[in-house]
Structure formats: C-alpha cells, structure tokens
Amino acid sequence: MADIIELLPDSIANQIAAGEVIQRPSSAVKELLENAVDANATEIKLIITEAGKTLVSVIDNGKGMSETDARMAFERHATSKIKKIDDLFSIRTMGFRGEALASIAAVAQVELKTKKQEDELGTYIEIENSIVKKQEPCACNVGTTISMKNLFFNVPARKNFLKSNASEMKHIVEEFIRVAMAFPEIHFSLVSNGQQVFHLDAGTFKQRIVQILGTNYNAKLVMVKEQTDYMNIYGFVGKPEAAKKTRGDQYFFVNNRFIKSAYLNHAVANAFENMIAKDSYPSYVLFIDLDPAQIDINVHPTKQEIKFEDEKIIYAFVQAAVKHALAQFSIAPSLDFTLNPEIQNLDAVNKPFTTEKKELTASGNLYKTFTGKHQAHKIEPNEKSELKHWKDFFTNKEQYNSISNPTENVLLQTLPKFSNTYIQLHNTYILTSNNSGFMLVHQQHAHERILYEKYIAQSHSTQPTVQKILFPVTIELATPDAILLEDLLPDIIALGYQIEPFGNNTFIIQGTPADVIQGNEKNSIELLLEQFKHFSTDIKYSKREKLIRCISRQQAIKTGTALSQNEMQTLLEHLFQCTTPNVTPSGNPTYIEFKEDYLDRMFGKI
Ligand code: ADP
Ligand code: MG
C-alpha cells in the first residue's frame, strides 16, 4: 500500500499556524501596535482602509531594525525579546513569541520600511505568501512602517469569514483602545478611510482615559492607588453614578497588557455592591503591576488571558483597593438615595410591595394553590402543540363583544371573552375566569410576546410608527459601543427608533417606538446594546431578530407593576391576538390554564 502521509509545504503550514494569531484585521492591529510599543516608539499612527480588509498600516518612530533583523523578523519564532526559557518569567515586553510578523506575511501582502537611528539608509522589504518579493535599501525616517495589504488574499475561505466593515472596525477600535489606554506617554492616532478617528496626545493616565471614554467622565473618576511589595494597583473607577447599563467601559491591564478576566471583574463589581443598581456595570480602568514571575502570559496565543500564580490574593487586593478608593472619596458613606437615579431604579426602592400586602396575598388560599409545586398542569413550552389550545378553553363562550366587522381577522373573532374583573396576584399574575375554568397570565411574559409580534410586524412594514420626542436626547457612547450602534442603526430604525449619528461617538435620539416610555430613551438604547452583546454569539438569529427579542424583553411591563382593570383587559386582549400567545419568544409560558374538569378532579368530583 502506498504511503499517504506528506509533509505540508511551508506556505500551507504557515497559513494554518497564522490562524491562531491573525484571525481578523484587528488581530494584526494588536500585534503591530504592540511591536511599535516594544520598539519604544513615542508616536504611533494606525492607518486603516476598509476596516483593515485592504490595509492596516502602523507607522512608528521607534528604534527600527537593521537590514538582517528586518529580514529575520518574518521568520517564525524569530524574536529579539527572549533568548532563553528563563526569560519567559521576566517578560516586560508585549510580544515574545516571534510569531506575529511570520503569521501576517503568510496571509497577506506586507511592506516593511525600517531604519535605525545610526544607519544612513533603511531597508524596504515586500513579502507575500511568506515569500520575499523585493528587498532593497531605501531612504526613510527612523522607525518602522509596516503595511499589511489584502488580508487573506490567498486564503479565500478565511476571507469569507470576515464580518461587515462596521463589525471589523469595531474590533479594530477595541484593540487600538486597549493598547492606547495603557501607554498614555505615547502619542497615538487612528485614521480610518482618510478620517481621523482618534488623536491622542501624550499625557497623564487620566487624560488618556478621558480622551478615549469621553469628556463626560472627567468629573466622574475616582483614583485607585495601592502599593505593596507584592503588587501595585492604580487607575480609576467611575463613581457610582457613572455606572452604565452596558458593560463597555471595563478595562483591566496586567503589566500593561489588556486582559479579560471575569474573576477580577467580579472583584470590582463586588466592591461596588449596594452602590449601583443590579443591572448596571461599574466603569473602570485598572492597572495591576506585579513581578512577571507571578503570572503566566503564555496560556493563550493572543495573550489576552493570563494565569496568576495566586488568583485569590489578586482578587482580594483588587476588591480592597477599589473599596478603599470609594470610601476615601466619601462615596460609600454619603450615598444620597434620594438623588441618585441609579439607586432609585433599584427594585427594592421603586417597587413598593409592602409587607402587609405581601402577607395578605401570601396567606390567601389562592396564592398557595399557585405556588410552584402545585403547578402540575403547567403548559409545556412547545410553540406548536399548544398553539390553538387556548381557543378550546373558551369554546362555549360568546363572540367577543367589540368585534362587529365580519372582515376582521378570524383570530379576533374567536377571542375569548374574559370576566369583567381581573385579579392581580403579587403584582405579577393576572387571574381571569370564564365558565369553563380560569387562567393565570404572567404579565411580563405576556407583554413580551405581544411586543415581540408587534415589532416583528413593524419591521416588515415600510414605515415604522415612531413616537417623536419633544426634546431630542443626545447619547454619548464609548467608541466600541458607538460602532456597534452604527452597525445596528438600520435595524434599530426599522423598529421605530429615530436616531442619527452626530459624530464623536454621539447620537441624537429623536423618536422611539411607541412602547418606549418617554424620558427613558437613553437607558433603553444603552440596555439594548448591552443585551445585544450578550446575544451576539448566537448565530442562529439575524441581527434584527436579536434586536427584536432584546427590545421586547426590555420594554415589557415588569413583574411587580400594579395594573389597572383596563390595563389587564387590554393586555389579555392583545395577548390573544398574537399568533403564538402561549409562550414568550424564548419559550417560557405566558399563561397557565386551569380547566373545569381538572379542578373537579382536584376536588375529587370525577
Ligand atoms: P515578537 O514581537 O513576539 O518578538 P514579532 O513577529 O511580532 O514577534 O516580531 C519579530 C521581531 O521583529 C521582534 O522581536 C522585533 O525584534 C522586530 N520588530 C517587529 N516590529 C518591530 C518594530 N515596529 N520596530 C522594531 N522592531 C520590530
Ligand atoms: Mg510582536
């Protein structure tokens, strides 16, 4: 039998290896910016066209490379940053794996121009598909310019995986911010398609943060600074009133490297406990410096996750430092509950449900019957099988009174006639009966279903119904959120929002869908972006579907809201006009029926 194993040609092996390091234009941005930082540049320019798909160029005034180094830099595992394995434990540079340039050269067309201070001439190299096309001396400034053109030109399958320009640009801005934030002494700029997106002069940490996150942060930052022999922590946390409905402005850096850590994020959130609403996120930019031997940064190809030698100490330290900062600036003790809108929004504050009321409801037999374990007859969250079920429930009832037009939707004509009084239990359930039993409707779930179908219909119509705002509201977002909003704008507008970009990450909200409560426009957009982000890994749904699900959930009447007889009536009428009234879009039941024969059986009659 013939042998079948062959060694992959270098070019293919390189392309495969590159996949780990260069997944999208923003990965190249990160690597190239980090290289410029490592070269001690004081000025770094990032130039992008078409969200990096056609060009990512980084120009630095750092130390440059010699002719030999310039050629070597593109070899895999070629690095000037470590020499022996022990060096891994004392890394202070951003790079050390020697893979980035090799990976970039394997999947794009690259041009490099570089010159050292002491050299008269620089070196120009053109390389594509890992092959050097041209190398010659050139006249250029001290420093390095690397241009990556036509990413994945030779790997169409990977190219097809790239997202929309707005989405790729969002990633690029994220990476840019993560590097720029950590090095305020370096001047950074970002130009995209000829337009300046960032121009960050060298300055202090605080200046840099405000430059990036927006001037409205200026008065809202509290300094964090603790030093011990083991580690230092410094940076800023936003005052509780700067907390956001979106998780956007949260940055952790360890030895100047941006890292993602749910664990450390939890430590900060914990320090803010009881100071901000449960559904809000504190803003923070925190830098931890510690002996590189205490961390392992080599656990992930893009180095965004790291391992701490002792995680628990770091957690305790971060939490204590943030608490201390908040207390020192007298934020914790002097919290003014009447003034802080975030606090006012806390469930416990804005949903008065007196103990007296609670006891009254809880002691009623009705309530006891409805508590969890008695719900043996719960409707299965299966959209199809239960679709028409509610109609059977009302088979022997009269036609719905207000329907007189025979051409109306058939569904409307068979609407159940509900009892004239509705009982609201626990400010959550609506109890309604007819002569064949009764039904318990979950107000929030029901409303979510109603809104969902309404927005779906809305999104199919050419002219969404917009509720104009008397005084347009401006909303300033962090850059990644602004880019996300820009990306979602056509879909958001289709739902009935009227929003216009106003430059500088600012948007003007002039109208909202009819169901959004006036005065709540800004929150509703922030919340929408946040929810969307949580949804966004789900490829099953289109952007618009995700938005509709988010907004329906967001705008639904919440449990704990007292409803009038009229409101309950309207809610039920609308619910049963839905095509799928029995479940929420995510599959939770909207109501539970208690049929007469079931009740009879319960009481031993059958
Ligand atoms: P790493 O950064 O992990 O060492 P890279 O592939 O990113 O690996 O870069 C390889 C080498 O090329 C670096 O170690 C450095 O010596 C050199 N180099 C890359 N970019 C620059 C730059 N902008 N200025 C000077 N030297 C650079
Ligand atoms: Mg590097």
Side-chain angles (χ1 to χ4, degrees), residues 196-354:
Q196 183 124 56
V197 182
F198 281 103
H199 177 100
L200 308 172
D201 286 322
T204 63
F205 268 119
K206 187 167 181 183
Q207 284 165 340
R208 179 58 52 97
I209 291 167
V210 171
Q211 276 176 325
I212 292 175
L213 299 184
T215 40
N216 53 345
Y217 263 101
N218 218 342
K220 294 184 188 160
L221 296 174
V222 177
M223 190 165 74
V224 177
K225 192 169 177 155
E226 303 284 341
Q227 296 191 317
T228 66
D229 288 344
Y230 185 73
M231 63 186 269
N232 297 336
I233 180 168
Y234 58 96
F236 295 89
V237 292
K239 291 181 181 169
E241 71 256 32
K244 291 201 156 190
K245 291 274 182 269
T246 78
R247 204 186 271 279
D249 301 335
Q250 301 188 326
Y251 297 88
F252 254 116
F253 298 85
V254 173
N255 292 351
N256 285 336
R257 189 185 302 282
F258 173 84
I259 58 147
K260 288 182 181 158
S261 166
Y263 186 69
L264 292 187
N265 176 54
H266 190 269
V268 180
N270 216 308
F272 270 89
E273 210 180 8
N274 296 329
M275 280 189 239
I276 57 175
K278 278 213 177 62
D279 58 353
S280 299
Y281 302 95
S283 303
Y284 59 82
V285 181
L286 292 172
F287 297 87
I288 292 172
D289 273 357
L290 78 174
D291 180 353
Q294 294 294 329
I295 50 176
D296 183 358
I297 35 187
N298 203 15
V299 292
H300 195 261
T302 62
K303 298 163 267 170
Q304 275 192 5
E305 281 155 41
I306 62 172
K307 243 171 56 200
F308 292 101
E309 192 66 27
D310 190 338
E311 247 190 349
K312 288 211 188 79
I313 293 191
I314 314 267
Y315 184 101
F317 193 79
V318 167
Q319 189 193 21
V322 174
K323 270 193 175 163
H324 186 204
L326 291 172
Q328 219 177 6
F329 284 78
S330 352
I331 284 159
S334 72
L335 264 186
D336 188 342
F337 284 84
T338 57
L339 288 178
N340 188 335
E342 298 289 346
I343 299 288
Q344 275 175 0
N345 285 336
L346 287 173
D347 276 5
V349 181
N350 79 351
K351 288 171 189 159
F353 187 67
T354 60

Side-chain angles (χ1 to χ4, degrees), residues 35-36 39 60 64-65 73 78-81 95-101 144:
N35 279 349
D60 72 51
M65 286 176 259
T79 180
S80 55
K81 300 169 194 173
F96 59 89
R97 295 164 66 110
E99 283 178 317
L101 291 187
T144 303

